[in-house]
Amino acid sequence: MVGLPFEKVAIRAEDWFREKGISILRKEVHHVNLPSTDVSFTDGSSLHADSVLIASGGRARTLPLPGHQLANIFTLRTFEDSQNIRKAVENAKSAVILGSSFIGMELATCLKKNHSNLSSVTVVGMEKVPFERVMGLKFGQLTQKVFEANGIQFKLQRTASQFKGQNKVESVVLDNGEELKADIVVIGAGIVLTSEYLERSGLELNKDGSLTVDEYLLATKKRQVYAAGDIARFPYHSHHIRVEHWSVAQQQGRVAAKNMLGKRIKYDEVPFFWSNSLVAFRYAGHASTYDDIIFQGDETQMKFIAFYVEGEKVNAVATVGVNGAVAAIELMRENRMPLASEVRRGVDLDKLLHRKE
């Protein structure tokens, strides 16, 4: 989005893979043959494998609304997507982003910061406030104020119903009939897991298309089939969860690779992610449910820690403008997080981490 060449965003150069003896096949998988674990491709070829890692992630969710075929309507998932958006936005005056969670908010930040030719950037979201589903109502309210102070507009508790234009998009019609001028539209409505080929493989998928794995990231105990990243639903405390962040995928990939080579290493990392939007924050733990969010710090200056608690247990911690996320990870790993009642009285996570038992 800011014009970085592919070499700057690639994890590794292709020469690195060649030097390590790693072959990259640019083919589409049709299915994994079980119980043999051989891989069959759509071109009719196949590849023998002693073990397989499923790490096919997901693709950006599209919105097949009337007018969706118009030019300058994008999703953001690949490097090519970012280049296409960047080219289209150069001559744009107004941008509409559909989605008020991580992709949408980070994209709004990038467009506002780097493209002064845009007279309006509008975020349309289904929630009451941005980030509400994951981060909570109050966190979203605080975030929205910062974005609005930087000139970004919101249309919340709304959805798009139609795209209008001749050859290119010119406006977005919302479900209440309001029409937003738009020279460019980017859809940030989450992902659809790429797992259709696994149905042909006989692997049991969850309703969302994910694969449930055990603590070693094995998707089936009968054969050496592992899963990692967005597609893997892994054990965390008393239930299985998915985390759509590249840091988790990276950690799981390393663990799966070692186990594919014969080791027995459990994936027991504390989930962690971050977002670098106008409100940059770090998040440690996992809180699909919580009773309360305890804020500690100065909310007016956007320097605080938010504790997501259920009963007396702190399930997750989010930090904005202050330290504490790294300490929270270590405390969770060591099962030394303070109780909710202790948090309400005031705690310093960094001091607590270094305090001797």
Side-chain angles (χ1 to χ4, degrees):
M1 291 303 301
V2 292
L4 292 175
F6 179 76
E7 293 74 21
K8 292 290 186 180
V9 297
I11 296 174
R12 300 284 188 184
E14 291 207 14
D15 289 344
W16 183 90
F17 291 98
R18 283 193 290 269
E19 291 169 3
K20 301 296 181 182
I22 299 171
S23 300
I24 300 176
L25 301 180
R26 289 181 168 83
K27 296 185 176 185
E28 183 180 349
V29 174
H30 183 268
H31 66 280
V32 178
N33 297 291
L34 294 178
S36 69
T37 65
D38 290 352
V39 178
S40 295
F41 300 101
T42 54
D43 64 2
S45 63
S46 63
L47 179 69
H48 172 69
D50 296 314
S51 58
V52 174
L53 172 62
I54 306 296
S56 45
R59 58 189 180 275
R61 188 184 302 278
T62 58
L63 298 177
L65 302 173
H68 71 275
Q69 76 284 353
L70 292 169
N72 287 359
I73 299 175
F74 303 96
T75 56
L76 177 57
R77 187 68 174 171
T78 67
F79 177 77
E80 289 75 19
D81 290 338
S82 70
Q83 295 298 90
N84 291 335
I85 293 169
R86 181 171 174 267
K87 183 178 180 181
V89 81
E90 288 177 354
N91 298 314
K93 296 293 184 182
S94 54
V96 172
I97 299 166
L98 301 179
S100 57
S101 195
F102 296 93
I103 289 293
M105 298 296 280
E106 291 180 0
L107 182 61
T109 297
C110 186
L111 292 179
K112 195 65 179 177
K113 280 186 173 182
N114 299 294
H115 299 281
S116 58
N117 55 294
L118 288 171
S119 58
S120 69
V121 175
T122 305
V123 176
V124 178
M126 297 173 63
E127 303 171 301
K128 293 178 182 177
V129 294
F131 295 126
E132 182 184 11
R133 185 180 65 83
V134 177
M135 307 303 296
L137 181 63
K138 185 175 179 179
F139 189 101
Q141 290 170 335
L142 293 169
T143 299
Q144 184 177 341
K145 288 180 181 178
V146 173
F147 275 70
E148 288 175 336
N150 282 271
I152 294 171
Q153 304 171 61
F154 289 89
K155 300 292 180 180
L156 297 167
Q157 293 183 281
R158 298 266 70 93
T159 58
S161 62
Q162 182 182 358
F163 302 114
K164 285 186 175 182
Q166 294 300 316
N167 297 315
K168 297 180 180 180
V169 68
E170 296 174 13
S171 66
V172 179
V173 181
L174 303 184
D175 57 344
N176 63 349
E178 184 177 1
E179 192 165 343
L180 306 176
K181 183 174 175 56
D183 298 316
I184 180 174
V185 174
V186 186
I187 301 168
I191 65 169
V192 177
L193 295 178
T194 305
S195 57
E196 294 86 352
Y197 69 101
L198 297 176
E199 295 176 359
R200 299 188 290 266
S201 305
L203 290 167
E204 186 176 348
L205 299 178
N206 298 304
K207 288 183 178 180
D208 62 355
S210 64
L211 275 172
T212 298
V213 298
D214 66 10
E215 63 268 37
Y216 302 102
L217 301 179
L218 267 171
T220 171
K221 296 185 183 300
K222 294 180 180 179
R223 299 298 299 175
Q224 293 286 80
V225 178
Y226 296 82
D230 293 352
I231 206 167
R233 189 170 292 277
F234 59 94
Y236 183 69
H237 295 311
S238 60
H239 52 285
H240 283 71
I241 65 172
R242 285 197 313 113
V243 177
E244 296 176 2
H245 196 282
W246 67 265
S247 64
V248 173
Q250 187 180 58
Q251 292 170 344
Q252 290 180 341
R254 290 169 176 162
V255 171
K258 292 176 181 179
N259 290 338
M260 291 168 76
L261 294 173
K263 296 186 178 181
R264 291 280 287 174
I265 299 175
K266 292 183 179 181
Y267 179 75
D268 56 3
E269 295 290 336
V270 175
F272 173 76
F273 65 83
W274 68 91
S275 178
N276 286 329
S277 64
L278 287 171
V279 177
F281 61 86
R282 298 178 176 182
Y283 184 101
H286 183 78
S288 55
T289 61
Y290 50 85
D291 303 325
D292 193 13
I293 306 175
I294 304 170
F295 286 81
Q296 176 182 292
D298 190 343
E299 299 159 28
T300 62
Q301 296 297 316
M302 296 301 288
K303 293 183 178 181
F304 61 82
I305 302 178
F307 296 84
Y308 295 77
V309 303
E310 190 169 22
E312 276 290 297
K313 184 180 180 183
V314 177
N315 288 332
V317 169
T319 62
V320 176
V322 296
N323 295 324
V326 174
I329 292 172
E330 294 302 320
L331 289 168
M332 289 179 188
R333 184 179 289 129
E334 298 171 9
N335 198 27
R336 291 202 294 127
M337 277 297 290
L339 299 175
S341 54
E342 295 174 315
V343 171
R344 288 188 172 91
R345 292 195 297 268
V347 294
D348 186 317
L349 295 180
D350 289 306
K351 288 182 178 179
L352 183 60
L353 176 64
H354 296 101
R355 188 178 71 190
K356 293 183 179 180
E357 294 288 349

